[in-house]
Amino acid sequence: MLVDDHDLVRHGLRTLIEATAEFEVVAEAASVADAIRRIGIHEPDVIVVDLDLPDGSGLEVCRGARRISPNSRTLILTGFADEHALEAARREGVAGFVLKRVHEFDLLGDIRRVAGGETVFRDAPSTQAGRPPADPLLARLTQRERIILQQIAAGRTNREIADDLFLAEKTVKNYVSNLLTKMGIGHRAGAAAHLARIEAESTHQYPPSEWRRRIPR
């Protein structure tokens, strides 16, 4: 089952998944409420769900699935690396946490592993993206604006950010304009340099051993 509010994303995932002989997409949903209803009807083996839905969080879908279809396994597929979201996903018992930039063949492998009883956690999220920052300038930004700021700091153009996060280029441009205004910084380079100074103060990382493990049988 696919849960994402972007029709294009769901269509692409369905095309990719159903190109294999081993998977079938039994349902799609674009909201938390619709997803919960369809989970109860279809009881899918694997639910691929985005975190950012129009009526709530994908974690609510995971929580609902655990309650009404306990044999369903959930895999978060998100464009936003967020340490707090990762920790919350672990608490909800998700089987996977993968960023949307994953290669399509790797994603199929991740779905296969989740279906087979493994957990898959790819691309350890930045520890600064989701944590409420102590820095007063970064504290003014929303979570998504901090994610886009990190992309800017990595040297990506608006088009590249849009492709990576499955957003329209105009939407990214608006986010960039808003975050620069909030920070009181007039240009992208200055904002990126400020973020680099803040991130240099922290070296916390998740150990690689935490990103892939097999559930004990």
Side-chain angles (χ1 to χ4, degrees):
M1 177 174 168
L2 307 176
V3 184
D4 196 295
D5 63 327
H6 291 90
D7 293 344
L8 184 62
V9 173
R10 293 199 316 275
H11 176 73
L13 288 173
R14 176 183 280 273
T15 300
L16 171 66
I17 291 169
E18 293 193 333
T20 72
E22 59 188 312
F23 300 124
E24 176 189 4
V25 176
V26 297
E28 297 182 19
S31 67
V32 172
D34 193 28
I36 296 298
R37 181 177 66 85
R38 293 180 185 274
I39 290 170
I41 296 171
H42 298 280
E43 297 185 348
D45 295 319
V46 177
I47 305 166
V48 180
V49 55
D50 189 14
L51 274 178
D52 191 14
L53 297 171
D55 59 340
S57 167
L59 294 177
E60 296 175 62
V61 176
C62 300
R63 189 177 305 122
R66 189 175 60 185
R67 184 181 69 254
I68 64 180
S69 182
N71 290 328
S72 297
R73 312 201 73 224
T74 49
L75 186 154
I76 296 292
L77 181 64
T78 178
F80 302 99
D82 181 333
E83 183 186 15
H84 283 186
L86 169 69
E87 296 300 334
R90 288 187 184 277
R91 290 194 297 271
E92 294 299 339
V94 304
F97 192 102
V98 179
L99 299 187
K100 285 181 175 177
R101 59 173 169 256
V102 64
H103 190 279
E104 59 186 28
F105 295 113
D106 290 331
L107 177 59
L108 286 174
D110 293 340
I111 294 172
R112 188 178 298 112
R113 283 187 284 273
V114 166
E118 294 183 58
T119 57
V120 178
F121 290 86
R122 285 186 177 274
D123 298 327
S126 165
T127 60
Q128 298 298 322
R131 176 184 301 145
D135 178 76
L137 297 188
L138 297 184
R140 299 172 185 173
L141 306 183
T142 66
Q143 173 186 319
R144 186 167 295 190
E145 287 167 346
R146 292 198 298 273
I147 294 295
I148 289 177
L149 177 57
Q150 287 198 315
Q151 297 269 3
I152 292 172
R156 300 190 177 214
T157 65
N158 286 353
R159 166 51 56 189
E160 290 170 332
I161 296 172
D163 290 344
D164 197 34
L165 301 182
F166 292 88
L167 297 172
E169 185 174 4
K170 182 178 180 181
T171 300
V172 173
K173 184 177 180 181
N174 289 338
Y175 274 121
V176 173
S177 177
N178 288 341
L179 71 87
L180 290 177
T181 298
K182 287 181 179 181
M183 295 178 71
I185 296 176
H187 49 83
R188 297 163 67 104
H194 182 81
L195 177 65
R197 286 194 298 271
I198 299 303
E199 290 193 333
E201 299 174 1
S202 174
T203 59
H204 171 73
Q205 294 180 343
Y206 285 99
S209 60
E210 287 296 309
W211 287 95
R212 183 161 301 183
R213 63 184 177 84
R214 180 178 292 274
I215 293 179
R217 297 284 184 172

